[in-house]
Structure formats: structure tokens, C-alpha cells
Coordinates of all heavy atoms in Angstrom, one line a residue:
M1164 N -1.9 -6.8 6.4 CA -0.8 -7.0 5.4 C -0.2 -5.7 5.0 O -0.8 -4.8 4.6 CB -1.4 -7.8 4.2 CG -0.4 -8.1 3.2 SD -1.2 -9.1 1.9 CE 0.0 -9.0 0.7
I1165 N 1.1 -5.6 5.1 CA 1.9 -4.4 4.7 C 2.2 -4.5 3.2 O 2.8 -5.5 2.8 CB 3.1 -4.3 5.6 CG1 2.8 -4.2 7.1 CG2 3.9 -3.1 5.1 CD1 3.9 -4.2 8.0
P1166 N 1.8 -3.5 2.5 CA 2.1 -3.5 1.0 C 3.6 -3.3 0.7 O 4.3 -2.6 1.5 CB 1.3 -2.4 0.4 CG 1.0 -1.5 1.6 CD 1.0 -2.3 2.8
D1167 N 4.1 -3.9 -0.3 CA 5.4 -3.7 -0.8 C 5.7 -2.3 -1.2 O 4.9 -1.7 -1.9 CB 5.7 -4.7 -2.0 CG 7.1 -4.5 -2.5 OD1 8.0 -4.3 -1.8 OD2 7.2 -4.6 -3.8
P1168 N 6.7 -1.6 -0.7 CA 6.9 -0.2 -1.0 C 7.1 0.1 -2.5 O 6.6 1.1 -3.0 CB 8.1 0.2 -0.2 CG 8.4 -0.9 0.8 CD 7.7 -2.1 0.3
V1169 N 7.8 -0.8 -3.2 CA 8.0 -0.6 -4.6 C 6.6 -0.6 -5.3 O 6.3 0.2 -6.2 CB 9.0 -1.6 -5.2 CG1 9.1 -1.5 -6.7 CG2 10.3 -1.4 -4.5
T1170 N 5.8 -1.6 -5.0 CA 4.5 -1.7 -5.6 C 3.7 -0.5 -5.3 O 3.0 0.1 -6.2 CB 3.8 -3.0 -5.1 OG1 4.6 -4.1 -5.4 CG2 2.4 -3.1 -5.8
T1171 N 3.7 0.0 -4.1 CA 2.9 1.2 -3.7 C 3.4 2.4 -4.5 O 2.6 3.2 -5.0 CB 3.1 1.4 -2.2 OG1 2.6 0.3 -1.5 CG2 2.2 2.6 -1.8
V1172 N 4.7 2.6 -4.7 CA 5.3 3.8 -5.4 C 4.9 3.7 -6.9 O 4.4 4.7 -7.4 CB 6.8 3.8 -5.2 CG1 7.4 4.8 -6.2 CG2 7.2 4.2 -3.8
V1173 N 5.0 2.5 -7.5 CA 4.6 2.4 -8.9 C 3.1 2.6 -9.1 O 2.7 3.3 -10.0 CB 5.1 1.0 -9.4 CG1 4.5 0.8 -10.8 CG2 6.6 0.9 -9.4
A1174 N 2.3 2.1 -8.2 CA 0.9 2.3 -8.2 C 0.5 3.7 -8.1 O -0.4 4.3 -8.8 CB 0.1 1.4 -7.2
A1175 N 1.2 4.4 -7.1 CA 0.9 5.8 -6.9 C 1.3 6.7 -8.2 O 0.6 7.6 -8.6 CB 1.7 6.3 -5.7
A1176 N 2.5 6.3 -8.8 CA 2.9 7.0 -10.0 C 1.9 6.8 -11.1 O 1.6 7.8 -11.9 CB 4.3 6.5 -10.4
T1177 N 1.4 5.6 -11.2 CA 0.3 5.3 -12.3 C -0.9 6.2 -12.0 O -1.5 6.8 -12.9 CB -0.1 3.8 -12.2 OG1 1.1 3.1 -12.5 CG2 -1.1 3.5 -13.3
A1178 N -1.3 6.3 -10.7 CA -2.5 7.1 -10.4 C -2.2 8.6 -10.6 O -3.1 9.3 -11.1 CB -2.8 6.9 -8.9
I1179 N -1.1 9.0 -10.4 CA -0.7 10.5 -10.6 C -0.7 10.8 -12.1 O -1.4 11.7 -12.5 CB 0.6 10.8 -10.0 CG1 0.5 10.8 -8.4 CG2 1.1 12.2 -10.4 CD1 1.8 10.8 -7.7
V1180 N -0.1 9.9 -12.9 CA -0.1 10.2 -14.3 C -1.5 10.0 -14.9 O -1.9 10.8 -15.7 CB 0.9 9.2 -15.0 CG1 0.8 9.3 -16.5 CG2 2.3 9.5 -14.6
G1181 N -2.2 9.0 -14.5 CA -3.6 8.8 -14.9 C -4.5 10.0 -14.5 O -5.3 10.5 -15.3
G1182 N -4.3 10.5 -13.3 CA -5.0 11.7 -12.9 C -4.7 12.9 -13.8 O -5.6 13.7 -14.2
Y1183 N -3.4 13.1 -14.2 CA -3.1 14.2 -15.0 C -3.7 14.0 -16.4 O -4.2 15.0 -17.0 CB -1.5 14.3 -15.1 CG -1.1 15.4 -16.0 CD1 -1.3 16.8 -15.6 CD2 -0.4 15.2 -17.2 CE1 -0.9 17.8 -16.4 CE2 0.0 16.3 -18.0 CZ -0.3 17.6 -17.6 OH 0.1 18.6 -18.4
V1184 N -3.6 12.8 -17.0 CA -4.2 12.6 -18.3 C -5.7 12.8 -18.2 O -6.3 13.5 -19.1 CB -3.9 11.1 -18.8 CG1 -4.7 10.8 -20.0 CG2 -2.5 11.0 -19.0
A1185 N -6.4 12.4 -17.2 CA -7.8 12.7 -17.0 C -8.1 14.2 -16.9 O -9.1 14.7 -17.5 CB -8.4 11.9 -15.8
F1186 N -7.2 14.9 -16.2 CA -7.3 16.3 -16.1 C -7.2 17.0 -17.5 O -8.0 17.9 -17.8 CB -6.3 16.9 -15.2 CG -6.1 18.4 -15.2 CD1 -7.1 19.2 -14.7 CD2 -5.0 19.0 -15.9 CE1 -6.9 20.6 -14.7 CE2 -4.9 20.3 -16.0 CZ -5.9 21.2 -15.4
L1187 N -6.3 16.5 -18.3 CA -6.1 17.1 -19.6 C -7.4 16.8 -20.5 O -7.8 17.7 -21.2 CB -4.9 16.5 -20.3 CG -3.6 16.9 -19.8 CD1 -2.4 16.2 -20.5 CD2 -3.4 18.4 -19.8
A1188 N -7.9 15.6 -20.3 CA -9.2 15.3 -21.1 C -10.3 16.1 -20.6 O -11.1 16.6 -21.4 CB -9.5 13.8 -20.9
Y1189 N -10.4 16.3 -19.3 CA -11.5 17.2 -18.7 C -11.3 18.7 -19.2 O -12.3 19.3 -19.5 CB -11.5 17.1 -17.2 CG -12.5 18.0 -16.6 CD1 -13.9 17.6 -16.6 CD2 -12.2 19.2 -16.0 CE1 -14.8 18.5 -16.1 CE2 -13.2 20.0 -15.5 CZ -14.5 19.7 -15.5 OH -15.5 20.5 -15.0
R1190 N -10.0 19.1 -19.3 CA -9.8 20.4 -19.8 C -10.2 20.6 -21.2 O -10.8 21.6 -21.6 CB -8.3 20.8 -19.6 CG -8.0 22.3 -19.6 CD -6.6 22.6 -19.2 NE -5.7 22.1 -20.2 CZ -4.4 22.3 -20.2 NH1 -3.9 22.8 -19.1 NH2 -3.6 21.9 -21.2
G1191 N -10.0 19.5 -22.0 CA -10.4 19.5 -23.4 C -11.9 19.5 -23.5 O -12.5 20.2 -24.4
Y1192 N -12.6 18.8 -22.6 CA -14.1 18.9 -22.5 C -14.5 20.3 -22.2 O -15.4 20.8 -22.9 CB -14.6 17.9 -21.4 CG -15.9 18.3 -20.9 CD1 -17.1 18.2 -21.6 CD2 -16.1 18.8 -19.5 CE1 -18.3 18.5 -21.1 CE2 -17.3 19.1 -19.0 CZ -18.4 19.0 -19.8 OH -19.6 19.3 -19.3
R1193 N -13.9 21.0 -21.2 CA -14.4 22.3 -20.9 C -14.1 23.3 -22.0 O -14.9 24.2 -22.3 CB -13.6 22.8 -19.6 CG -14.0 22.1 -18.4 CD -15.3 22.4 -17.9 NE -15.5 23.8 -17.7 CZ -15.6 24.4 -16.6 NH1 -15.7 23.8 -15.4 NH2 -15.8 25.7 -16.5
R1194 N -12.9 23.2 -22.7 CA -12.6 24.1 -23.7 C -13.4 24.0 -25.0 O -13.8 25.0 -25.6 CB -11.1 23.9 -24.1 CG -10.6 24.9 -25.2 CD -9.1 24.7 -25.6 NE -8.3 24.1 -24.5 CZ -7.6 23.0 -24.6 NH1 -7.7 22.3 -25.7 NH2 -6.9 22.5 -23.6
N1195 N -13.8 22.7 -25.3 CA -14.5 22.5 -26.6 C -15.9 22.0 -26.4 O -16.6 21.7 -27.4 CB -13.7 21.4 -27.4 CG -12.3 21.9 -27.7 OD1 -12.1 23.0 -28.1 ND2 -11.4 21.0 -27.5
D1196 N -16.4 22.0 -25.1 CA -17.7 21.5 -24.8 C -17.9 20.1 -25.5 O -18.9 19.8 -26.1 CB -18.8 22.5 -25.2 CG -20.1 22.2 -24.6 OD1 -20.1 21.6 -23.5 OD2 -21.1 22.5 -25.2
S1197 N -16.9 19.2 -25.4 CA -16.9 17.9 -26.0 C -17.3 16.8 -25.0 O -16.5 16.5 -24.1 CB -15.5 17.6 -26.6 OG -15.4 16.3 -27.0
E1198 N -18.5 16.3 -25.2 CA -18.9 15.2 -24.4 C -18.0 14.0 -24.5 O -17.7 13.3 -23.5 CB -20.3 14.7 -24.8 CG -20.9 13.6 -24.0 CD -21.3 14.0 -22.6 OE1 -21.3 15.2 -22.3 OE2 -21.4 13.1 -21.8
T1199 N -17.4 13.8 -25.6 CA -16.4 12.7 -25.8 C -15.2 12.8 -24.8 O -14.8 11.8 -24.2 CB -15.9 12.6 -27.2 OG1 -17.0 12.4 -28.1 CG2 -14.8 11.6 -27.4
M1200 N -14.7 14.0 -24.7 CA -13.6 14.2 -23.8 C -14.0 14.1 -22.3 O -13.2 13.6 -21.5 CB -13.0 15.6 -24.0 CG -12.3 15.8 -25.4 SD -11.1 14.5 -25.7 CE -9.8 15.2 -24.7
R1201 N -15.2 14.4 -22.0 CA -15.7 14.2 -20.6 C -15.7 12.8 -20.2 O -15.3 12.3 -19.2 CB -17.0 14.9 -20.4 CG -17.5 14.8 -18.9 CD -18.8 15.5 -18.7 NE -19.9 14.7 -19.4 CZ -20.5 13.7 -18.8 NH1 -20.2 13.2 -17.7 NH2 -21.5 13.1 -19.5
V1202 N -16.3 12.0 -21.2 CA -16.4 10.6 -20.9 C -15.1 9.9 -20.9 O -14.8 9.0 -20.1 CB -17.4 9.9 -22.0 CG1 -17.4 8.4 -21.8 CG2 -18.8 10.5 -21.9
L1203 N -14.2 10.4 -21.8 CA -12.8 9.8 -21.8 C -12.1 10.1 -20.4 O -11.4 9.3 -19.9 CB -12.0 10.4 -22.9 CG -10.6 9.9 -23.1 CD1 -10.5 8.4 -23.3 CD2 -9.9 10.7 -24.2
A1204 N -12.3 11.3 -19.9 CA -11.7 11.7 -18.6 C -12.2 10.8 -17.5 O -11.4 10.3 -16.7 CB -12.0 13.1 -18.3
V1205 N -13.5 10.5 -17.5 CA -14.1 9.6 -16.5 C -13.5 8.2 -16.7 O -13.1 7.5 -15.7 CB -15.6 9.5 -16.6 CG1 -16.2 8.4 -15.8 CG2 -16.2 10.9 -16.2
G1206 N -13.3 7.7 -17.9 CA -12.8 6.4 -18.2 C -11.4 6.3 -17.7 O -11.0 5.3 -17.0
V1207 N -10.5 7.3 -18.0 CA -9.1 7.2 -17.5 C -9.1 7.3 -16.0 O -8.3 6.5 -15.4 CB -8.3 8.4 -18.1 CG1 -7.0 8.5 -17.5 CG2 -8.2 8.2 -19.6
L1208 N -9.9 8.1 -15.3 CA -10.0 8.1 -13.9 C -10.3 6.7 -13.3 O -9.6 6.2 -12.4 CB -11.0 9.0 -13.4 CG -10.6 10.5 -13.2 CD1 -11.7 11.4 -12.8 CD2 -9.4 10.6 -12.3
F1209 N -11.3 6.0 -13.9 CA -11.7 4.7 -13.4 C -10.6 3.6 -13.8 O -10.6 2.5 -13.1 CB -13.0 4.3 -13.9 CG -14.1 4.8 -13.0 CD1 -14.7 6.1 -13.2 CD2 -14.6 4.0 -12.0 CE1 -15.6 6.6 -12.3 CE2 -15.6 4.5 -11.1 CZ -16.1 5.8 -11.3
I1210 N -9.8 3.8 -14.8 CA -8.8 2.8 -15.1 C -7.5 3.1 -14.3 O -6.9 2.1 -13.8 CB -8.4 2.9 -16.6 CG1 -9.6 2.5 -17.4 CG2 -7.2 2.2 -16.9 CD1 -9.4 1.3 -18.2
A1211 N -7.1 4.3 -14.0 CA -5.9 4.6 -13.4 C -5.9 5.0 -11.9 O -5.1 4.7 -11.1 CB -5.1 5.6 -14.2
V1212 N -6.9 5.8 -11.5 CA -6.9 6.4 -10.2 C -7.8 5.6 -9.2 O -7.4 5.3 -8.1 CB -7.4 7.9 -10.3 CG1 -7.5 8.5 -8.9 CG2 -6.5 8.7 -11.2
V1213 N -9.0 5.3 -9.6 CA -9.9 4.6 -8.7 C -9.3 3.2 -8.2 O -9.4 2.9 -7.0 CB -11.3 4.4 -9.4 CG1 -12.2 3.5 -8.5 CG2 -11.9 5.8 -9.6
P1214 N -8.7 2.4 -9.1 CA -8.1 1.2 -8.6 C -7.1 1.4 -7.5 O -7.0 0.6 -6.5 CB -7.5 0.5 -9.8 CG -8.3 1.0 -11.0 CD -8.6 2.4 -10.6
F1215 N -6.3 2.4 -7.7 CA -5.3 2.8 -6.7 C -6.0 3.1 -5.3 O -5.6 2.7 -4.3 CB -4.4 4.0 -7.1 CG -3.5 4.4 -6.0 CD1 -2.3 3.8 -5.7 CD2 -3.8 5.6 -5.3 CE1 -1.5 4.2 -4.7 CE2 -2.9 6.0 -4.3 CZ -1.8 5.3 -4.0
L1216 N -7.0 3.9 -5.4 CA -7.8 4.3 -4.2 C -8.4 3.1 -3.6 O -8.4 3.0 -2.3 CB -8.8 5.4 -4.6 CG -8.3 6.7 -5.0 CD1 -9.4 7.7 -5.4 CD2 -7.4 7.4 -4.0
V1217 N -8.9 2.2 -4.4 CA -9.6 1.0 -3.8 C -8.5 0.2 -3.1 O -8.7 -0.2 -2.0 CB -10.3 0.2 -4.9 CG1 -10.7 -1.1 -4.4 CG2 -11.6 1.0 -5.4
S1218 N -7.5 -0.1 -3.8 CA -6.5 -1.1 -3.3 C -5.6 -0.5 -2.2 O -5.2 -1.2 -1.2 CB -5.6 -1.7 -4.4 OG -4.8 -0.7 -5.0
Q1219 N -5.2 0.8 -2.3 CA -4.3 1.3 -1.3 C -4.9 2.2 -0.2 O -4.2 2.4 0.8 CB -3.3 2.2 -2.1 CG -2.5 1.4 -3.1 CD -1.6 0.4 -2.6 OE1 -1.0 0.5 -1.5 NE2 -1.5 -0.7 -3.3
V1220 N -6.1 2.6 -0.4 CA -6.8 3.5 0.6 C -8.0 2.8 1.2 O -8.0 2.5 2.4 CB -7.2 4.8 0.0 CG1 -7.9 5.7 1.0 CG2 -5.9 5.6 -0.6
L1221 N -9.0 2.4 0.4 CA -10.2 1.9 0.9 C -10.0 0.5 1.5 O -10.6 0.2 2.6 CB -11.3 1.8 -0.2 CG -11.9 3.1 -0.6 CD1 -12.9 2.9 -1.7 CD2 -12.5 3.8 0.6
A1222 N -9.3 -0.4 0.8 CA -9.1 -1.7 1.3 C -8.5 -1.8 2.7 O -9.1 -2.5 3.6 CB -8.3 -2.6 0.3
P1223 N -7.4 -1.1 3.0 CA -6.9 -1.2 4.4 C -7.8 -0.5 5.4 O -8.0 -1.0 6.5 CB -5.6 -0.4 4.3 CG -5.2 -0.4 2.8 CD -6.5 -0.4 2.1
V1224 N -8.4 0.6 5.0 CA -9.3 1.4 6.0 C -10.5 0.6 6.3 O -10.9 0.5 7.5 CB -9.6 2.8 5.4 CG1 -10.7 3.4 6.2 CG2 -8.4 3.6 5.3
L1225 N -11.2 0.0 5.3 CA -12.4 -0.8 5.5 C -12.1 -2.3 5.7 O -13.1 -3.0 5.8 CB -13.3 -0.6 4.3 CG -13.8 0.9 4.0 CD1 -14.6 1.0 2.8 CD2 -14.5 1.4 5.2
R1226 N -10.9 -2.6 5.8 CA -10.5 -4.0 6.0 C -11.1 -5.0 5.0 O -11.7 -6.0 5.4 CB -10.8 -4.4 7.5 CG -10.0 -3.6 8.5 CD -10.4 -4.0 9.9 NE -9.7 -3.1 10.8 CZ -9.1 -3.5 11.9 NH1 -9.2 -4.8 12.3 NH2 -8.5 -2.7 12.7
F1227 N -11.0 -4.7 3.8 CA -11.5 -5.6 2.7 C -10.6 -6.8 2.7 O -9.4 -6.8 2.9 CB -11.3 -4.9 1.3 CG -12.3 -3.8 1.0 CD1 -12.2 -3.1 -0.2 CD2 -13.4 -3.5 1.8 CE1 -13.1 -2.1 -0.5 CE2 -14.3 -2.6 1.5 CZ -14.2 -1.8 0.4
S1228 N -11.2 -7.9 2.4 CA -10.5 -9.1 2.1 C -9.8 -8.9 0.7 O -10.1 -8.0 0.0 CB -11.4 -10.4 2.0 OG -12.2 -10.3 0.9
D1229 N -8.8 -9.8 0.4 CA -8.2 -9.7 -0.9 C -9.2 -9.9 -2.0 O -9.1 -9.1 -3.0 CB -7.1 -10.8 -1.0 CG -5.9 -10.6 -0.1 OD1 -5.7 -9.4 0.3 OD2 -5.1 -11.5 0.0
A1230 N -10.2 -10.7 -1.8 CA -11.2 -10.9 -2.9 C -12.0 -9.7 -3.1 O -12.3 -9.3 -4.2 CB -12.1 -12.1 -2.5
Q1231 N -12.4 -9.0 -2.0 CA -13.1 -7.8 -2.1 C -12.3 -6.7 -2.8 O -12.9 -5.9 -3.6 CB -13.6 -7.3 -0.7 CG -14.7 -8.2 -0.1 CD -14.9 -7.9 1.3 OE1 -14.0 -7.6 2.1 NE2 -16.2 -7.9 1.7
A1232 N -11.1 -6.6 -2.4 CA -10.2 -5.5 -3.1 C -10.1 -5.8 -4.6 O -10.2 -4.9 -5.4 CB -8.8 -5.5 -2.4
I1233 N -9.8 -7.1 -4.9 CA -9.7 -7.4 -6.4 C -11.0 -7.1 -7.1 O -11.0 -6.6 -8.2 CB -9.3 -8.9 -6.5 CG1 -7.8 -9.0 -6.1 CG2 -9.4 -9.4 -8.0 CD1 -7.3 -10.5 -5.9
L1234 N -12.1 -7.5 -6.4 CA -13.4 -7.2 -7.1 C -13.6 -5.7 -7.3 O -14.0 -5.2 -8.3 CB -14.6 -7.7 -6.2 CG -16.0 -7.4 -6.7 CD1 -16.2 -8.1 -8.1 CD2 -17.0 -7.9 -5.7
G1235 N -13.2 -4.9 -6.3 CA -13.3 -3.4 -6.4 C -12.5 -2.9 -7.6 O -12.9 -2.0 -8.4
V1236 N -11.3 -3.4 -7.7 CA -10.4 -3.0 -8.8 C -10.9 -3.4 -10.1 O -10.9 -2.6 -11.1 CB -9.0 -3.5 -8.5 CG1 -8.1 -3.4 -9.7 CG2 -8.3 -2.8 -7.3
T1237 N -11.4 -4.6 -10.2 CA -12.0 -5.2 -11.4 C -13.2 -4.4 -11.9 O -13.4 -4.1 -13.1 CB -12.3 -6.7 -11.3 OG1 -11.1 -7.3 -10.9 CG2 -12.8 -7.2 -12.6
V1238 N -14.1 -4.0 -10.9 CA -15.2 -3.2 -11.3 C -14.8 -1.9 -11.8 O -15.4 -1.3 -12.8 CB -16.2 -3.1 -10.1 CG1 -17.3 -2.1 -10.3 CG2 -16.8 -4.5 -9.8
A1239 N -13.8 -1.3 -11.1 CA -13.3 0.1 -11.6 C -12.8 0.0 -13.0 O -13.0 0.8 -13.8 CB -12.3 0.6 -10.6
H1240 N -12.0 -1.1 -13.3 CA -11.4 -1.2 -14.6 C -12.6 -1.4 -15.6 O -12.5 -0.8 -16.7 CB -10.5 -2.5 -14.7 CG -9.2 -2.2 -14.1 ND1 -8.4 -3.2 -13.6 CD2 -8.5 -1.1 -13.9 CE1 -7.3 -2.7 -13.1 NE2 -7.3 -1.4 -13.2
T1241 N -13.6 -2.2 -15.3 CA -14.7 -2.4 -16.2 C -15.4 -1.1 -16.5 O -15.7 -0.8 -17.7 CB -15.7 -3.5 -15.6 OG1 -14.9 -4.7 -15.4 CG2 -16.8 -3.8 -16.6
V1242 N -15.7 -0.4 -15.5 CA -16.4 0.9 -15.6 C -15.6 1.9 -16.5 O -16.1 2.5 -17.4 CB -16.7 1.6 -14.3 CG1 -17.2 3.0 -14.4 CG2 -17.8 0.8 -13.5
G1243 N -14.3 1.9 -16.3 CA -13.4 2.7 -17.1 C -13.3 2.3 -18.5 O -13.4 3.2 -19.4
L1244 N -13.3 1.0 -18.8 CA -13.3 0.5 -20.2 C -14.6 0.8 -20.9 O -14.6 1.2 -22.1 CB -12.9 -0.9 -20.2 CG -11.5 -1.3 -19.9 CD1 -11.3 -2.8 -19.8 CD2 -10.6 -0.8 -21.0
V1245 N -15.7 0.7 -20.2 CA -17.0 1.0 -20.8 C -17.1 2.5 -21.1 O -17.5 2.9 -22.2 CB -18.1 0.6 -19.8 CG1 -19.5 1.1 -20.3 CG2 -18.2 -1.0 -19.8
A1246 N -16.6 3.3 -20.2 CA -16.6 4.8 -20.5 C -15.7 5.1 -21.7 O -16.1 5.9 -22.5 CB -16.1 5.5 -19.2
I1247 N -14.5 4.5 -21.7 CA -13.6 4.8 -22.9 C -14.3 4.3 -24.2 O -14.3 5.0 -25.2 CB -12.2 4.2 -22.7 CG1 -11.5 4.9 -21.6 CG2 -11.4 4.2 -24.0 CD1 -10.2 4.3 -21.1
Y1248 N -14.9 3.1 -24.1 CA -15.6 2.6 -25.3 C -16.7 3.6 -25.7 O -16.9 3.9 -26.9 CB -16.2 1.2 -25.0 CG -17.1 0.7 -26.1 CD1 -16.6 0.2 -27.3 CD2 -18.5 0.7 -25.9 CE1 -17.4 -0.3 -28.2 CE2 -19.3 0.3 -26.9 CZ -18.8 -0.2 -28.1 OH -19.6 -0.7 -29.1
R1249 N -17.4 4.1 -24.7 CA -18.5 5.0 -25.0 C -18.0 6.3 -25.6 O -18.7 6.9 -26.4 CB -19.2 5.3 -23.7 CG -20.2 6.4 -23.7 CD -21.5 6.1 -24.5 NE -22.5 7.1 -24.3 CZ -22.5 8.2 -25.1 NH1 -21.6 8.4 -26.0 NH2 -23.5 9.1 -24.9
S1250 N -16.8 6.7 -25.3 CA -16.2 7.9 -25.8 C -15.9 7.8 -27.3 O -15.7 8.8 -28.0 CB -14.9 8.3 -25.1 OG -13.8 7.5 -25.4
F1251 N -15.8 6.6 -27.8 CA -15.6 6.4 -29.2 C -16.8 6.7 -30.1 O -16.6 6.8 -31.3 CB -15.0 5.0 -29.5 CG -13.7 4.8 -29.0 CD1 -13.3 3.5 -28.5 CD2 -12.7 5.7 -28.9 CE1 -12.1 3.3 -28.0 CE2 -11.4 5.5 -28.4 CZ -11.1 4.3 -27.9
D1252 N -18.0 6.7 -29.5 CA -19.2 6.9 -30.4 C -19.2 8.3 -31.0 O -18.8 9.3 -30.6 CB -20.4 6.8 -29.5 CG -20.7 5.3 -29.2 OD1 -20.1 4.4 -29.9 OD2 -21.5 5.0 -28.3

């Protein structure tokens, strides 16, 4: 199945912005030795970048079914949300 180009561009933009936000959080972790910022960086990566990689890179290469791709994206979102929740402690 060939992905819609507009969807791919928007998903890539989300991944790029999410990667930048995660980088900023990681930089905050390094600067202040803040565990909260490190966990937040991981959470943002799993919410914005990993789903893109799963759906646009891994799924076509490994020939995932639609259900497997959705499961991968959902697991990534769940891990990201748990990490962000953890960063609030």
C-alpha cells in the first residue's frame, strides 16, 4: 500500500518537531542533571517520533499488517504517556 504523500509529510513534520522538543528536554536534563527532563524527553520521543518510525519505516520494511502497525503505534503512545506521567513525580 502506497501512503498518501500529504499524510507522510505531516507525519514527518510531527516527528521532526517532536524530535526537536525531545532534544530540548534532553539538553535540559544534561544542563541541570534533571531526571524529570530525561524522562520527559523519552516520553516525547515515544509520542512523536517512534510512531512515525513504526508506521512509515518499520511497517513497510517488515511488511506489518495494518493491525500490527496500529498495535506498534499504540504501544509507542502508551509508553510515551507513561513516561510523561512519570516525569510529573
Side-chain angles (χ1 to χ4, degrees):
M1164 180 173 164
I1165 299 172
D1167 176 37
V1169 174
T1170 303
T1171 303
V1172 168
V1173 172
T1177 301
I1179 290 167
V1180 172
Y1183 181 67
V1184 171
F1186 168 74
L1187 292 175
Y1189 179 75
R1190 201 168 71 178
Y1192 155 69
R1193 294 288 306 247
R1194 184 179 329 120
N1195 301 313
D1196 196 29
S1197 169
E1198 182 68 17
T1199 298
M1200 293 303 286
R1201 185 180 67 84
V1202 176
L1203 181 63
V1205 169
V1207 170
L1208 275 176
F1209 272 87
I1210 291 245
V1212 179
V1213 173
F1215 174 78
L1216 294 175
V1217 168
S1218 66
Q1219 301 294 324
V1220 178
L1221 287 179
V1224 169
L1225 299 178
R1226 297 180 184 217
F1227 286 174
S1228 68
D1229 288 344
Q1231 290 170 320
I1233 290 170
L1234 177 63
V1236 168
T1237 302
V1238 168
H1240 285 155
T1241 303
V1242 169
L1244 287 172
V1245 168
I1247 291 171
Y1248 172 76
R1249 171 72 174 84
S1250 75
F1251 291 144
D1252 285 344

